[in-house]
Amino acid sequence: MSSRRPDALAQVSDFDIRLLRIFRSVVECGGFSAAETVLGIGRSAISQQMSDLEQRLGLRLCQRGRAGFSLTEEGREVYQSALQLLGALESFRTEVNGLHLHLRGELNIGLTDNLVTLPHMRITHALAQLKERGPEVQVHIRMISPHEVEQGVLDGRLHVGVVPQASTLSGLEYLPLYSERSLLYCAVGHPLFYVDDRQLEDARLNDQDAIAPTFRLPSDIQALYQALNCTASASDREGMAFLILTGRYIGYLPDHYASLWVQQGRLRALKPKTRFYDLSLASVTRKGRRPHLVLESFLESLEATR
């Protein structure tokens, strides 16, 4: 007679899928409180449904309390499995909807920060066209680092992303979208703010405290940062702006992003005719991806705005 323990989840019901979607949102928001707005339900209801999920799985998924929210080892594994399951369900729904030639489903996009101030607004226009063609399409945008965007597209959590194009990764396809120019800036309060460009020698600039990005960039751009005295770092352009605006650091920012502070007299570009670099930004999708009508429609709109 077998003593094999029965499966904790012999069948996956609609209720289980709903609980797993809530669990995914809680993890991605970093806790119950932050997930309230995203889910549209109260913290106590979220807590109860997480307890229901743990009971159905027979596993402790997370620690919560005064010390904050954190996943258990089992919780991390369940989260990864839930991503695969929900991704497979979305792929199935998208393919079936495609049979009806009607745009439904989700579009999950990962973006590098601070692209919205680009004057071309290609992403904005493509999203507008997508919404016009498929009013029921649900669009989810995540602002994350370029590395996380590429990884998300590779593992299927994201359908498409937009990243600075450094070196291409195998398994991904890149479509050039923009070219943006970054200038070297300092803020009010910095010793160089009122110094005439003609008096700014390269040696003096290179001696100032500067900020280095931690995301991948082409080697020729990395060389520009290596010439500076980088005593701070930031994972994104907004973090670099925070540090530059202290008046204690110099650093590169996209000119479209910095323009409002320049107009307000809070930032100035240092030797803009020589201290700049141009960076290509590209959309990224997974090679060999399954047919996805919503994604293909969005990509067509991006192409049309070139």
Side-chain angles (χ1 to χ4, degrees):
M1 185 174 180
S2 174
S3 60
R4 180 179 179 271
R5 181 182 175 183
D7 292 338
L9 206 60
Q11 294 182 337
V12 178
S13 67
D14 289 343
F15 180 65
D16 296 316
I17 293 172
R18 180 173 179 272
L19 293 179
L20 288 171
R21 290 186 188 278
I22 293 173
F23 175 58
R24 178 183 66 177
S25 294
V26 169
V27 174
E28 293 180 351
C29 290
F32 293 2
S33 297
E36 286 183 283
T37 302
V38 173
L39 294 171
I41 57 177
R43 182 174 178 178
S44 60
I46 295 173
S47 179
Q48 179 60 53
Q49 293 184 77
M50 286 300 92
S51 297
D52 291 344
L53 180 60
E54 289 176 330
Q55 184 175 358
R56 291 180 68 81
L57 296 177
L59 296 170
R60 182 71 170 173
L61 300 179
C62 57
Q63 305 290 344
R64 56 264 202 188
R66 293 184 178 180
F69 174 87
S70 63
L71 287 177
T72 64
E73 185 63 31
E74 292 82 3
R76 284 189 285 271
E77 294 184 15
V78 169
Y79 173 64
Q80 293 300 322
S81 296
L83 290 179
Q84 295 177 21
L85 172 61
L86 297 174
L89 287 172
E90 177 56 27
S91 294
F92 172 79
R93 183 171 65 172
T94 300
E95 290 173 11
V96 171
N97 288 336
L99 297 175
H100 300 283
L101 296 178
H102 185 71
L103 289 180
R104 294 178 183 147
E106 296 179 346
L107 182 66
N108 299 317
I109 308 175
L111 298 179
T112 299
D113 66 311
N114 299 312
L115 296 181
V116 72
T117 50
L118 275 164
H120 311 298
M121 296 189 71
R122 291 183 57 190
I123 298 172
T124 302
H125 295 324
L127 287 172
Q129 292 176 21
L130 177 65
K131 190 63 176 175
E132 183 177 352
R133 291 184 59 187
E136 297 179 29
V137 170
Q138 298 179 23
V139 178
H140 306 287
I141 293 179
R142 297 189 63 191
M143 305 299 296
I144 49 181
S145 69
H147 169 74
E148 291 176 295
V149 171
E150 290 173 319
Q151 190 58 48
V153 174
L154 279 172
D155 63 28
R157 285 178 294 141
L158 299 173
H159 297 121
V160 62
V162 177
V163 297
Q165 190 167 356
S167 56
T168 59
L169 299 182
S170 61
L172 295 178
E173 294 179 342
Y174 295 81
L175 171 69
L177 293 178
Y178 304 105
S179 178
E180 66 175 13
R181 173 158 293 190
S182 289
L183 304 177
L184 186 62
Y185 290 95
C186 72
V188 171
H190 193 277
L192 300 184
F193 190 80
Y194 293 108
V195 178
D196 189 279
D197 279 340
R198 290 170 294 184
Q199 300 175 8
L200 288 176
E201 299 179 355
D202 286 340
R204 187 177 181 186
L205 281 175
N206 295 342
D207 192 46
Q208 304 298 314
D209 286 327
I211 310 152
T214 58
F215 49 86
R216 287 188 308 122
L217 288 169
S219 57
D220 58 332
I221 296 177
Q222 290 177 358
L224 297 178
Y225 285 99
Q226 291 168 359
L228 298 174
N229 178 33
C230 293
T231 59
S233 65
S235 63
D236 50 53
R237 282 99 69 93
E238 186 168 358
M240 298 180 76
F242 268 113
L243 288 169
I244 295 170
L245 287 165
T246 66
R248 299 295 182 268
Y249 299 91
I250 63 173
Y252 286 96
L253 290 175
D255 56 3
H256 62 86
Y257 177 48
S259 63
L260 179 60
W261 290 308
V262 172
Q263 293 171 22
Q264 294 172 346
R266 298 177 63 188
L267 287 183
R268 67 158 289 198
L270 300 167
K271 302 186 73 171
K273 293 183 179 180
T274 56
R275 289 290 184 137
F276 68 88
Y277 65 80
D278 294 320
L279 179 64
S280 175
L281 292 138
S283 68
V284 57
T285 52
R286 186 172 58 182
K287 289 181 180 178
R289 61 186 181 273
R290 292 183 177 183
H292 189 298
L293 194 61
V294 173
L295 173 59
E296 301 310 323
S297 178
F298 176 72
L299 294 177
E300 287 176 9
S301 296
L302 275 181
E303 282 276 13
T305 59
R306 294 182 71 180

